[in-house]
Amino acid sequence: MKNLLRYIAVTIITVASSLSFGQEGKIQSVKDDYKDFAYVKTSEVLLEVANNGYKSVDLFQKLANSFYFRNKMEEAAKWYGELMALNEYVEPEYYFRYALALRGVKDYKASDMWMKKFHDLKPNDMRGKAFVSNVDYREAIDRISREDIEPTNLEINTEVSDFGATEYENSIVFASSRGGGRKYRWNEEPYLDIFSVEISEDGSFGEVMEIDGDVNTAFHESNAIFSPNGKYMFFTRNNFYKSKYKEGESGTNRLQLYRATLSEDGSWEEIHKIHFNSEDYSVAHPALNLTGSKLYFASDMPGTFGQSDIYVVDVNDDGTLGTPENLGPSINTEGQEAFPFINTDGDLYYSSNGYPGLGGYDIFISEELDQKIETGSNRNFVIENVGKPVNSASDDFGYYENLVTKRVYFSSNREGGKGSDDIYTFIIPECEQLVQGIVKDKNTDELIPGATVILFDETGKELERKTAGTDASFEFSLECQTEYLIRGEKEKYISDEKRFTTPDRKQELLMELLLELDEQEIAPCDDLAKVLDIPIIYFDFDKSNIRYSAELELQKVLAVLNQYPTMTIDIRSHTDCRGTVTYNEKLSERRAQSTRDYLIEKGVDPERLSAKGYGESRLVNNCDCEPSNNSSCTEAEHQLNRRSEFIITSINGKSCDDKE
């Protein structure tokens, strides 16, 4: 992966050393190697210079970069730290790299500090914005991480790079440096080729073989993917076509996409270049959707937001491709995005170092992205870190999953591997949700045993019903990633229901259903507003007319009066303290009469309604307009005093002595 992911967009920094002539000569002697990505040799020479006590921005930049681009984050963090200790100006990108290097050695506190400094220097950079908008990203990652998954290092891995597994028929196809031949100067490993290995029914592997045909050359090949009909293979290769090795204007040989066709003998022939390949930018890491109508890939072509972005392009019926389209800033950052994969549900998985994560490159998911692309819907895609153990403090990439067999492959250079990059695998655990709950009284919190609890699917179809036990508890076994509705019912209670979607992993869900008594006993002297849970009837300042919102609540009072024709009530209206005492008494009286008139207008016998205004004499707070209090009261606090209340004075022959 370091052969390709880093290769797409590597910052080349010119030599501007202020060292002595002798030490400058050593740096200049590796200048060409540095530009040609020969980082092993460069780091050895520069390390010698630094260990001799020489210091400069240029020296520490090159030395730290040499380790950073080979994923040796402990050494990279050390020398980026030395660079920052010089307290001289450096490009903000070095702050970002230092933060990533610190993240790679799990020094998250220091990493976050340098990411904040990076954001301060480049406030419009998406990488910094993503960090400051989610400073608690580690806690969020921990919440979605899986403890029930234990990835296995594949037995076919070697001491060199092996990565990018994908399934093809009864085999997996992947890239590896195991083929021998001349070595790539960047990492001193042989150039990558594409290999295949059969998997037997018992899960054991056969012999690893180079893929048949004209695909592999003396240069890099990797990331093979196959069309749904199995006739075409897209893959990544250096710009090497028909025995010609080409470099762009910068002197760099770029990565390109190629398409091979399956011949009758089972080999891959007829190698064709993709039409938007270029000598001046890289195109790599192809991925096809379920129908083969869309091809996703990584590139640093013009229009890229960062060092490399994820693009999509239409695949025509004849296998040719349309015009690439950048997936935009909700997927891509100013960093590197690479290794896209689309599963059969249309979810996009890809690697990025531009979003907050656990290490250098983390794997992210954007659910149903392919459907959104197909329908042309909102391109403000939502992404999420897939969490541990797929992601680690190292580089994690090359995600692939088969949702039928539940088999997942991904690649990583994490500690404990066999080589520089290894392929890991696991089976997605069977997912069963257990929802447990309890039925309680909403107002008293008392348990309600014997309640009926009904389970519905998302369309409202009843699936199952149970009776809550003596402890008012219930439970259902559910499927994962499925929408449900649970409703609690019992005679004399208003039902309660909860709609929810189960997560994608096994866990227990806890739920409370809160039922509210539908039949409540009422008696003389009761406050009808409290019985019916009616909010205070508010009036506008200096007004006595009925608000529309108040009318809705008065309809409840009207319904009760109609239900109990022997009930009589006393309407009590109040004001706030603003205005004179006399004025407020008159205002509250008008409000009380206004409320009474409304109910009479709706058909209530006037003899059943009394009304009185109390002015500001019964304030519910300390807003009494004294100089020490008035200035501290808000409009909302004053409004609490502009209200009407309802007291039951008699019902069914029983009366209440109004002592007020």
Side-chain angles (χ1 to χ4, degrees):
M1 184 273 295
K2 294 185 290 296
N3 301 335
L4 290 173
L5 197 62
R6 311 285 193 191
Y7 193 97
I8 292 180
V10 177
T11 302
I12 305 300
I13 305 169
T14 58
V15 176
S17 176
S18 60
L19 300 180
S20 67
F21 176 83
Q23 297 301 326
E24 181 176 306
K26 286 193 175 183
I27 294 178
Q28 292 290 343
S29 72
V30 297
K31 179 179 178 182
D32 291 337
D33 289 333
Y34 188 88
K35 285 189 174 182
D36 288 339
F37 315 114
Y39 289 123
V40 172
K41 188 182 298 183
T42 300
S43 64
E44 292 173 356
V45 175
L46 299 181
L47 184 61
E48 179 184 343
V49 174
N51 285 335
N52 286 335
Y54 292 88
K55 299 180 180 181
S56 78
V57 169
D58 180 73
L59 171 63
F60 289 151
Q61 283 178 342
K62 283 186 169 62
L63 183 57
N65 286 343
S66 295
F67 289 114
Y68 176 83
F69 288 118
R70 287 186 292 135
N71 198 51
K72 294 188 175 182
M73 292 305 184
E74 185 173 355
E75 294 91 340
K78 173 184 175 181
W79 294 110
Y80 282 134
E82 293 287 349
L83 172 65
M84 299 304 172
L86 294 177
N87 289 320
E88 297 185 31
Y89 174 78
V90 295
E91 292 291 332
E93 191 67 20
Y94 286 95
Y95 288 72
F96 175 75
R97 292 179 188 170
Y98 189 24
L100 250 61
L102 290 167
R103 191 187 299 170
V105 296
K106 301 182 181 180
D107 190 350
Y108 295 115
K109 183 177 181 180
S111 174
D112 291 351
M113 179 186 72
W114 286 99
M115 276 299 299
K116 177 63 167 60
K117 292 182 178 182
F118 170 72
H119 174 66
D120 291 341
L121 289 171
K122 294 190 70 176
N124 294 322
D125 192 294
M126 287 299 300
R127 295 168 292 177
K129 286 183 176 180
F131 169 76
V132 297
S133 67
N134 188 18
V135 293
D136 296 326
Y137 68 93
R138 292 193 304 277
E139 289 79 1
I141 291 174
D142 285 340
R143 286 195 297 270
I144 64 173
S145 294
R146 302 287 295 267
E147 296 181 355
D148 56 343
I149 292 176
E150 295 185 10
T152 300
N153 189 299
L154 283 188
E155 61 184 74
I156 62 171
N157 288 318
T158 63
E159 69 279 2
V160 293
S161 291
D162 304 285
F163 67 89
T166 186
E167 293 180 344
Y168 177 67
E169 295 182 343
N170 61 339
S171 302
I172 61 169
V173 177
F174 62 99
S176 178
S177 295
R178 70 184 67 201
R182 66 174 183 158
K183 293 183 178 180
Y184 182 41
R185 286 193 298 164
W186 189 355
N187 63 356
E188 303 255 328
E189 289 185 3
Y191 278 80
L192 294 161
D193 284 325
I194 298 175
F195 291 81
S196 176
V197 59
E198 290 190 6
I199 306 176
S200 63
E201 292 184 0
D202 62 3
S204 61
F205 293 98
E207 182 181 358
V208 176
M209 305 286 290
E210 283 196 42
I211 198 165
D212 291 332
D214 299 332
V215 173
N216 291 328
T217 66
F219 298 96
H220 286 309
E221 287 82 26
S222 70
N223 298 101
I225 54 105
F226 302 89
S227 61
N229 61 14
K231 294 181 179 180
Y232 299 106
M233 176 176 70
F234 293 91
F235 65 97
T236 305
R237 180 197 281 174
N238 284 115
N239 185 359
F240 183 74
Y241 187 58
K242 295 184 177 180
S243 301
K244 293 182 179 180
Y245 181 88
K246 296 184 178 182
E247 296 178 346
E249 292 182 0
S250 65
T252 302
N253 177 270
R254 303 289 182 170
L255 299 177
Q256 297 190 338
L257 287 184
Y258 293 82
R259 189 193 73 195
T261 302
L262 183 66
S263 65
E264 293 183 358
D265 64 2
S267 61
W268 295 95
E269 315 288 350
E270 300 180 35
I271 310 300
H272 292 281
K273 296 177 65 173
I274 300 305
H275 73 85
F276 49 79
N277 285 335
S278 172
E279 296 177 3
D280 297 317
Y281 56 80
S282 290
V283 185
H285 311 158
L288 285 167
N289 65 357
L290 174 63
T291 62
S293 63
K294 301 285 184 183
L295 178 78
Y296 296 80
F297 62 93
S299 178
D300 61 343
M301 65 175 60
T304 300
F305 287 91
Q307 298 170 18
S308 65
D309 284 2
I310 305 299
Y311 286 78
V312 63
V313 63
D314 289 329
V315 181
N316 301 319
D317 293 339
D318 61 358
T320 60
L321 303 180
T323 302
E325 178 185 0
N326 192 297
L327 289 188
S330 58
I331 294 295
N332 297 308
T333 68
E334 286 84 347
Q336 285 182 296
E337 281 72 42
F339 289 95
F341 166 74
I342 296 286
N343 68 9
T344 52
D345 283 347
D347 305 327
L348 169 70
Y349 290 85
Y350 68 107
S351 290
S352 173
N353 66 5
Y355 291 100
L358 297 175
Y361 293 86
D362 273 20
I363 296 172
F364 294 83
I365 179 177
S366 182
E367 294 184 351
E368 298 182 351
L369 177 138
D370 188 58
Q371 292 93 315
K372 296 173 184 176
I373 293 291
E374 289 280 6
T375 59
S377 59
N378 191 340
R379 295 297 182 91
N380 187 23
F381 305 117
V382 177
I383 70 164
E384 184 178 39
N385 191 300
V386 301
K388 296 178 284 190
V390 173
N391 286 326
S392 68
S394 299
D395 288 331
D396 306 293
F397 59 101
Y399 187 93
Y400 175 92
E401 68 180 6
N402 184 324
L403 293 181
V404 176
T405 64
K406 304 296 184 181
R407 172 68 65 181
V408 171
Y409 297 97
F410 69 95
S411 305
S412 179
N413 56 14
R414 63 188 59 189
E415 293 181 2
K418 297 177 184 178
S420 53
D421 296 313
D422 283 351
I423 302 169
Y424 292 81
T425 188
F426 63 88
I427 297 292
I428 300 173
E430 289 295 327
C431 185
E432 182 180 84
Q433 300 293 326
L434 180 67
V435 59
Q436 296 177 316
I438 193 168
V439 186
K440 300 168 67 175
D441 187 292
K442 180 179 180 179
N443 297 315
T444 67
D445 230 24
E446 294 180 356
L447 301 179
I448 305 178
T452 300
V453 184
I454 310 170
L455 176 69
F456 300 89
D457 68 11
E458 60 179 337
T459 67
K461 177 183 177 181
E462 182 177 328
L463 302 176
E464 190 176 359
R465 64 171 57 205
K466 293 185 176 181
T467 301
T470 55
D471 57 355
S473 67
F474 64 90
E475 68 177 36
F476 293 98
S477 293
L478 310 176
E479 296 181 1
C480 293
Q481 291 185 291
T482 306
E483 184 177 339
Y484 293 98
L485 183 142
I486 287 182
R487 179 184 299 154
E489 298 179 347
K490 193 170 185 183
E491 187 179 358
K492 296 185 179 181
Y493 283 88
I494 298 173
S495 300
D496 184 29
E497 61 185 26
K498 298 286 192 302
R499 185 176 293 273
F500 61 98
T501 299
T502 53
D504 62 352
R505 66 205 65 187
K506 184 177 182 179
Q507 65 183 59
E508 292 185 357
L509 304 176
L510 302 177
M511 181 178 297
E512 280 189 346
L513 293 176
L514 303 177
L515 310 189
E516 189 173 7
L517 271 174
D518 192 23
E519 294 184 8
Q520 300 189 52
E521 185 178 355
I522 53 177
C525 297
D526 284 349
D527 184 344
L528 193 58
K530 292 181 180 180
V531 173
L532 298 178
D533 192 25
I534 296 175
I536 294 173
I537 301 298
Y538 292 112
F539 293 88
D540 291 323
F541 175 64
D542 200 30
K543 302 292 183 182
S544 60
N545 57 295
I546 302 297
R547 286 181 178 181
Y548 175 75
S549 59
E551 183 176 359
L552 293 176
E553 301 303 331
L554 287 176
Q555 286 291 316
K556 299 177 184 178
V557 177
L558 180 63
V560 173
L561 289 171
N562 290 336
Q563 185 178 358
Y564 296 97
T566 64
M567 178 186 292
T568 62
I569 63 172
D570 181 35
I571 302 168
R572 301 174 181 179
S573 293
H574 308 267
T575 70
D576 59 35
C577 67
R578 292 176 293 185
T580 66
V581 172
T582 301
Y583 174 81
N584 285 335
E585 287 179 352
K586 292 180 179 179
L587 176 63
S588 64
E589 185 66 26
R590 291 198 303 271
R591 289 175 174 174
Q593 294 302 325
S594 177
T595 304
R596 180 174 182 271
D597 290 344
Y598 174 86
L599 294 173
I600 293 172
E601 181 183 342
K602 298 300 180 181
V604 180
D605 186 346
E607 296 297 323
R608 299 174 61 194
L609 304 172
S610 60
K612 179 177 175 56
Y614 290 85
E616 59 183 87
S617 64
R618 296 187 178 186
L619 301 177
V620 296
N621 51 32
N622 293 324
C623 296
D624 57 8
C625 290
E626 291 294 327
S628 59
N629 294 325
N630 185 39
S631 60
S632 63
C633 287
T634 65
E635 173 60 28
E637 290 173 320
H638 280 301
Q639 182 162 286
L640 291 175
N641 292 311
R642 300 196 298 269
R643 68 196 191 278
S644 288
E645 299 171 329
F646 307 91
I647 301 297
I648 301 173
T649 55
S650 67
I651 183 173
N652 296 333
K654 296 181 180 179
S655 63
C656 173
D657 293 330
D658 188 358
K659 298 179 181 180
E660 299 176 343

